[in-house]
Amino acid sequence: EYAIDPDLASSGMLEALYLFDVLSGIEGKILLLDEPALHLHPSAQKAILESVVQHQSEGQVFLVTHSPYLVTSDFQRVFFVKKENGGYTSVANLSEVFQEILNGTHANLLKRKFENPRVRAGLFSKLIVIFEGDSEEAAIPAMLKALGA
């Protein structure tokens, strides 16, 4: 056990302590977390996700994030909420989106790939460029920079 002086703790430490405290008392409650990853190191973000999963049966947690570390690879639990051009909001379950795209093929491979936070970060992108090897990984950013993108 460690004693932490709140006046000396970082904002990330205080945020993590607060979140763990809130998650430990959610029995029978609905908890809305808006961008809980702010100020947190990736390892703390992973711990927050593990705590949310651990306490899921006690209450209901809605988590809004732009952090790939807080997106689980359990696609049934991830939803996209998007404002459409007509002004309405659409909600799509990630597993349904992937099933539609892949028609059930390669779903397990995709799920394994999403274990990597760098891959999950693509969920928050407007454009994704898929390439094959190391030379493309090095060349494409240079080409985009030269094009001013």
Side-chain angles (χ1 to χ4, degrees), residues 80-92:
F80 285 113
V81 179
K82 179 181 175 188
K83 184 174 182 181
E84 300 291 348
N85 289 336
Y88 65 93
T89 301
S90 67
V91 179

Side-chain angles (χ1 to χ4, degrees), residues 84-115:
E84 300 291 348
N85 289 336
Y88 65 93
T89 301
S90 67
V91 179
N93 180 272
L94 185 59
S95 65
E96 294 170 4
V97 171
F98 285 149
Q99 286 297 333
E100 184 177 312
I101 292 170
L102 300 172
N103 291 324
T105 60
H106 305 298
N108 288 334
L109 174 63
L110 185 63
K111 188 168 184 166
R112 281 196 315 274
K113 291 289 185 187
F114 265 81
E115 296 294 329

Side-chain angles (χ1 to χ4, degrees), residues 8 12 26 34 38 41-43 49 59 67 78-79 85 91-92 103-104 109-111 118 121 126 144:
L8 300 176
I26 66 167
D34 184 23
L38 295 178
H41 186 273
S43 62
L49 179 61
S67 169
V78 179
F79 293 86
N85 289 336
V91 179
N103 291 324
L109 174 63
L110 185 63
K111 188 168 184 166
R118 287 180 59 193
K126 290 186 179 185
L144 290 173

